[in-house]
Amino acid sequence: MAIRYLFLGFALTFGPSSLPGQEEGPLHALYESGQCPQLVEAVKRQSNDSLSAQICFYSGVCLMELADYQSALGYLDQAIRKDRDLAIGYFFKAEVLFQLNRLPEALIQYDNAIHLRPEVPDFRVSKGQAFFQAGRYPEAIACLQQALLMPSCPEKAFILLGRAYQENKETDLAFNTFYKALESLDPQGPNYPECLHRIGQAQYLAKDYPAAEAAYSLLLAKKPADYQGVSKLIQVHYAKGEYEKGNALKMKLYSAYRQNLLPTEMVETGFCFDQFEWQGKRIYAYEKLDEPTGYYPKHIFMVTDERDHVTQVVQTEHTLAASLKGKKYVLGKIEDGVHTLYEKEAFDDNFEYDLLKKAVIRVLRGKGRS
């Protein structure tokens, strides 16, 4: 197992009194090689008083990796007691407290780390992320702005700041941040495509479809196998009424499906090809890739509430009855666990999308032809 905290953007430095003695060399080697379970078990056999601050710290990090946050907190507290100037000890204690939903205590520990190592931007970025996840967007913005003024600030701060502006309803600042980030991010790094995804999605929701198309097109020029990006660009074309362009891109997904290249989630749920609003509710239209023998649903329209929870589903269904009538699909609705078929709402394989969309809305209005 690789320890995800082993390669942070700052040095894991310890004072001379904190360093492991020669007898702790094997424990240090276990940490360096990412063998967390083995390290934890080996440390349990040691006397806590004999452990150095560094080994206590390593134990705390490994227990975080194993999601044993309470035990991790105990070892990190020991590390701090043994070395009061251990900035990364306070930092990881903050991370653990945040995982335990103890945000006020976590913020104190982030501040302790920042006080001891004010030159480390990662501390401010993580504090900003804690504020962001807690929904405290103005405070997140302030932390991230400070971090981005510092040398060697991690690239993810750009993305997080743009998202914080979005959530704080400061749309123009969000766009400015994302576009400015493109000038600073490594085009070959993982944050560059994520930034393009964020720009495309934000422009799509703002109904600036040409800008959304430009972002997703650039993304796919750099990462042709970004199949979620393909799905997003299909949605842009559908929003513009360019169904032929969208359908041409669908063929790329079907080809990848036949070659077992698609992510598991897309194989299982299909891909989103359209979104639209109806009576203040957002409807997500998905298309399943698999067409097994016999019955199967194909195009799934999920109606969501203000919390993005699915409240009802209308879908095209390939049934024996439809086939006997010379059709490919009929509409079905699922609501409150009840499945209703509308056999007079029937469609061929090469249906006109606008007609299908109108039929879906008829069913949602309770006027579907059964």
Side-chain angles (χ1 to χ4, degrees):
M1 172 174 50
I3 300 176
R4 64 178 179 270
Y5 291 111
L6 189 56
F7 302 107
L8 290 168
F10 57 91
L12 301 184
T13 55
F14 298 85
S17 63
S18 305
L19 297 175
Q22 185 174 1
E23 69 280 1
E24 291 183 335
L27 299 177
H28 183 88
L30 288 173
Y31 178 80
E32 291 290 343
S33 61
Q35 299 182 62
C36 277
Q38 294 88 336
L39 172 65
V40 169
E41 288 304 313
V43 168
K44 284 180 181 178
R45 295 192 290 269
Q46 305 288 323
S47 165
N48 287 342
D49 292 339
S50 67
L51 295 173
S52 66
Q54 186 172 359
I55 295 300
C56 289
F57 170 78
Y58 286 168
S59 299
V61 173
C62 278
L63 286 160
M64 287 179 67
E65 287 289 314
L66 299 172
D68 187 351
Y69 298 116
Q70 288 291 354
S71 298
L73 195 59
Y75 277 104
L76 291 169
D77 278 335
Q78 286 187 58
I80 293 168
R81 282 197 299 271
K82 293 171 185 286
D83 184 351
R84 294 291 181 181
D85 294 326
L86 190 60
I88 52 172
Y90 293 104
F91 170 72
F92 279 98
K93 182 177 179 180
E95 296 280 276
V96 171
L97 289 167
F98 182 72
Q99 291 293 333
L100 293 171
N101 296 314
R102 293 160 63 178
L103 180 62
E105 296 169 80
L107 294 174
I108 293 172
Q109 301 306 322
Y110 283 125
D111 287 339
N112 286 337
I114 292 169
H115 173 74
L116 289 167
R117 295 283 301 275
E119 79 282 6
V120 178
D122 301 68
F123 295 160
R124 299 178 194 272
V125 174
S126 290
K127 182 181 177 184
Q129 187 162 13
F131 277 131
F132 177 85
Q133 293 182 350
R136 294 166 60 171
Y137 304 119
E139 292 158 295
I141 289 167
C143 284
L144 295 165
Q145 286 175 331
Q146 292 172 6
L148 284 166
L149 294 174
M150 303 171 68
S152 303
C153 181
E155 288 187 343
K156 70 176 183 180
F158 284 108
I159 310 296
L160 195 54
L161 179 59
R163 294 178 62 195
Y165 279 131
Q166 279 183 307
E167 295 294 338
N168 206 43
K169 311 302 181 186
E170 298 178 86
T171 305
D172 290 341
L173 287 172
F175 282 131
N176 290 341
T177 300
F178 286 135
Y179 281 112
K180 185 178 179 180
L182 288 181
E183 301 172 4
S184 304
L185 298 175
D186 177 4
Q188 306 306 318
N191 293 297
Y192 196 89
E194 182 182 353
C195 190
L196 288 171
H197 265 292
R198 297 285 177 187
I199 290 171
Q201 184 67 1
Q203 295 286 21
Y204 177 86
L205 293 175
K207 299 185 178 180
D208 187 344
Y209 301 125
E213 181 178 355
Y216 288 126
S217 296
L218 178 56
L219 169 68
L220 294 175
K222 293 185 175 295
K223 291 187 64 179
D226 189 323
Y227 298 114
Q228 290 295 346
V230 174
S231 172
K232 296 291 187 181
L233 187 53
I234 293 170
Q235 293 171 50
V236 172
H237 285 309
Y238 265 69
K240 295 170 70 178
E242 299 172 345
Y243 302 137
E244 289 187 7
K245 289 184 178 180
N247 291 339
L249 280 172
K250 287 183 182 182
M251 295 304 101
K252 184 172 184 177
L253 296 180
Y254 277 93
S255 175
Y257 172 69
R258 289 190 292 271
Q259 298 175 66
N260 296 317
L261 298 176
L262 291 182
T264 301
E265 181 182 2
M266 192 173 284
V267 171
E268 293 176 350
T269 65
F271 60 91
C272 185
F273 66 91
D274 191 22
Q275 299 181 37
F276 57 93
E277 293 183 355
W278 172 73
Q279 293 188 348
K281 300 174 181 178
R282 181 162 290 274
I283 298 177
Y284 298 89
Y286 276 73
E287 182 168 326
K288 299 275 286 184
L289 292 146
D290 190 23
E291 295 186 4
T293 302
Y295 167 88
Y296 59 87
K298 183 64 175 177
H299 309 91
I300 302 169
F301 295 79
M302 295 182 287
V303 185
T304 60
D305 59 19
E306 64 278 359
R307 296 183 179 179
D308 219 28
H309 295 153
V310 177
T311 59
Q312 54 185 319
V313 169
V314 178
Q315 59 192 18
T316 61
E317 303 179 19
H318 177 66
T319 65
L320 176 60
S323 298
L324 292 174
K325 293 180 180 179
K327 298 293 184 180
K328 185 70 177 283
Y329 308 110
V330 296
L331 286 187
K333 182 176 75 170
I334 301 172
E335 185 176 12
D336 296 329
V338 178
H339 181 204
T340 305
L341 273 180
Y342 297 84
E343 294 186 347
K344 292 183 180 179
E345 302 286 3
F347 295 88
D348 297 319
D349 200 12
N350 58 343
F351 57 82
E352 291 184 30
Y353 179 63
D354 285 333
L355 294 179
L356 173 61
K357 194 171 173 181
K358 289 177 182 178
V360 168
I361 292 174
R362 268 199 307 274
V363 169
L364 291 174
R365 286 176 172 163
K367 298 181 180 180
R369 297 170 297 178
S370 57

